[in-house]
Amino acid sequence: MRRKMLLAMASLTLAGNVLAASPAAKGDPAKGKQIVDTVCAACHGVDGNSVAAANPTIAGQSQQYLYSQLKAFKSGERKNPTMLGMTAGLSDDDMHNLAAYFSQQKPKDREAADKALLPLGAKIYRVGNPASHVPACMACHGPAGKGLPEQFPRVGSQHAGYIAKQLADFKAGADRKNLMMTDIAGRMTDAEMKAVAEYISGLR
């Protein structure tokens, strides 16, 4: 029952966002690239493929999702001191331009660092854990981790360390105002979070 409720919440949220979406995406990738070179490249890479696991790879992420997260950082809704500073001087057009640029970049393929964790990670991602009412991750993020624009981000080819950190933050209720993910992560064990993070990093 709990799993059905969570999936229903996801469907309703997605439907609402799709209806509210603008008919045409804004943004000039060329102008976005100019900002990337001076502001973003040091942490996320010039093509959106970060080297350090502490910084997410954002290449190929949905343009709508990238824009919404930049807005959330700038407003303080999503709390991150570094990103608050980086977005403070960005205009709305700047954020659209950045989102347009990074969404057109190609994410680099990754492999799981600890392949022994892949069986458990695959189970959690594909079918969840009915015993603890954890739904399948792919219900929202897709079989290949490509996500759905607006609400559910691309997670495939992401750093395993970054995914694990975000799940831990959701579980702790820190930084992220996402009741659905807070509830889901709260039902996951540390082992499940680590395993699914490794599995996700190899999705493409």
Side-chain angles (χ1 to χ4, degrees):
M1 178 64 71
R2 185 70 181 182
R3 182 180 180 184
K4 290 181 179 178
M5 183 184 77
L6 288 169
L7 291 175
M9 288 169 57
S11 298
L12 289 172
T13 302
L14 178 61
N17 278 319
V18 169
L19 289 173
S22 57
K26 299 178 181 179
D28 182 336
K31 291 181 179 179
K33 175 64 163 56
Q34 295 174 4
I35 302 171
V36 170
D37 289 341
T38 57
V39 179
C40 314
C43 292
H44 297 287
V46 70
D47 62 350
N49 286 285
S50 70
V51 176
N55 305 318
T57 282
I58 53 179
Q61 186 62 267
S62 152
Q63 182 173 341
Q64 298 95 322
Y65 186 81
L66 285 169
Y67 172 71
S68 72
Q69 296 309 294
L70 286 169
K71 281 181 55 179
F73 283 127
K74 185 179 174 69
S75 70
E77 179 184 351
R78 183 171 172 182
K79 300 185 184 304
N80 182 302
T82 299
M83 285 302 299
L84 177 63
M86 293 295 101
T87 56
L90 297 179
S91 68
D92 194 63
D93 283 344
D94 290 337
M95 291 188 285
H96 276 297
N97 294 339
L98 282 170
Y101 172 76
F102 281 122
S103 69
Q104 293 182 7
Q105 306 310 301
K106 180 176 174 56
K108 293 181 179 177
D109 292 343
R110 299 187 188 281
E111 298 290 342
D114 189 345
K115 291 183 171 51
L117 298 178
L118 291 181
L120 175 59
K123 175 180 178 294
I124 297 298
Y125 192 86
R126 295 173 182 172
V127 300
N129 185 344
S132 55
H133 306 290
V134 173
C137 306
M138 73 174 190
C140 294
H141 296 286
K146 294 182 179 180
L148 295 169
E150 296 290 329
Q151 184 67 18
F152 306 118
R154 177 191 179 95
V155 293
S157 300
Q158 187 58 265
H159 292 287
Y162 181 79
I163 293 290
K165 173 67 163 56
Q166 296 310 297
L167 287 172
D169 285 348
F170 281 129
K171 186 171 185 174
D175 299 334
R176 306 289 294 270
K177 294 181 179 180
N178 186 317
L179 295 178
M180 184 167 64
M181 280 305 304
T182 296
D183 183 84
I184 292 170
R187 297 170 182 278
M188 297 176 72
T189 65
D190 290 346
E192 287 174 334
M193 289 191 289
K194 186 175 181 180
V196 80
E198 288 287 347
Y199 179 76
I200 284 171
S201 69
L203 288 175
R204 58 187 66 123

